[in-house]
Amino acid sequence: MRNSMAACFALMSSNPSFAATNLDNLAGGWSGSGSMKPSNGTWEKVRCKVAYNVTKPGKSISLDLRCASDAYKMSLSANIDQNGTQLSGNWFESEYRQGGKISGTNSDGLIEARIEGETVAALVTIRTKGDHQSFVMEAPGSWLSQVTIELNKDAK
């Protein structure tokens, strides 16, 4: 679960697209809640906060993600680059010491991506409209099989 959760949040946070494909629009804080489902359990509530920092205007962002449920906490960082509609990058979850690669596309507010690590593979879909973002991860075969989260951009 921890490996899958770290990977899914890495992608979620590092790749959220905006209606205009410019990563600069993500700058600032986002927060929200949702749920996750272990492959052999029931849905569990999760809360998240993400801080985005533009590292290269229009091309790259870094992020700091913190999520918690009643059962765990995690702290994740990621660096994402965009070239046209293509996304690439890396992520690292410091509490569980897991990391990996991110690849996918960002077009018209829709990100479709794959995240991979040593023990994790997941497909992620992220839709961003204005100051709202929805995130869905599916990782069949992983301990954490599904995640859904709704995020809103924090007021300035």
Side-chain angles (χ1 to χ4, degrees), residues 29-89:
W30 293 70
S31 57
S33 62
S35 55
M36 61 178 206
K37 183 181 184 310
S39 60
N40 62 350
T42 60
W43 288 94
E44 181 178 339
K45 292 183 181 188
V46 64
R47 300 163 309 284
C48 297
K49 289 188 178 265
V50 183
Y52 295 100
N53 181 38
V54 175
T55 55
K56 292 181 185 171
K59 297 184 185 267
S60 300
I61 59 171
S62 66
L63 68 97
D64 176 32
L65 169 72
R66 300 194 185 278
C67 291
S69 74
D70 291 340
Y72 72 94
K73 291 190 287 188
M74 66 175 282
S75 178
L76 179 130
S77 61
N79 294 298
I80 302 298
D81 296 317
Q82 183 168 334
N83 183 4
T85 60
Q86 298 298 306
L87 297 172
S88 61

Side-chain angles (χ1 to χ4, degrees), residues 4-40:
S4 295
M5 194 65 167
C8 79
F9 284 118
L11 181 61
M12 173 189 90
S13 302
S14 57
N15 285 354
S17 125
F18 224 73
T21 59
N22 187 337
L23 295 174
D24 296 358
N25 293 324
L26 295 175
W30 293 70
S31 57
S33 62
S35 55
M36 61 178 206
K37 183 181 184 310
S39 60
N40 62 350

Side-chain angles (χ1 to χ4, degrees), residues 127-148:
R127 285 179 177 30
T128 304
K129 200 176 234 190
D131 290 345
H132 181 78
Q133 197 171 85
S134 64
F135 166 84
V136 176
M137 183 212 65
E138 295 181 359
S142 293
W143 189 90
L144 183 63
S145 61
Q146 293 178 300
V147 176
T148 61

Side-chain angles (χ1 to χ4, degrees), residues 83-154:
N83 183 4
T85 60
Q86 298 298 306
L87 297 172
S88 61
N90 57 68
W91 60 273
F92 183 75
E93 202 291 319
S94 59
E95 188 165 334
Y96 304 110
R97 302 190 102 30
Q98 295 289 316
K101 302 276 182 204
I102 301 166
S103 61
T105 60
N106 175 4
S107 180
D108 297 326
L110 175 65
I111 289 179
E112 295 177 305
R114 180 172 174 86
I115 53 175
E116 295 181 278
E118 211 170 289
T119 59
V120 177
L123 299 176
V124 177
T125 301
I126 300 168
R127 285 179 177 30
T128 304
K129 200 176 234 190
D131 290 345
H132 181 78
Q133 197 171 85
S134 64
F135 166 84
V136 176
M137 183 212 65
E138 295 181 359
S142 293
W143 189 90
L144 183 63
S145 61
Q146 293 178 300
V147 176
T148 61
I149 297 173
E150 300 294 322
L151 295 166
N152 291 303
K153 196 166 188 180
D154 298 339

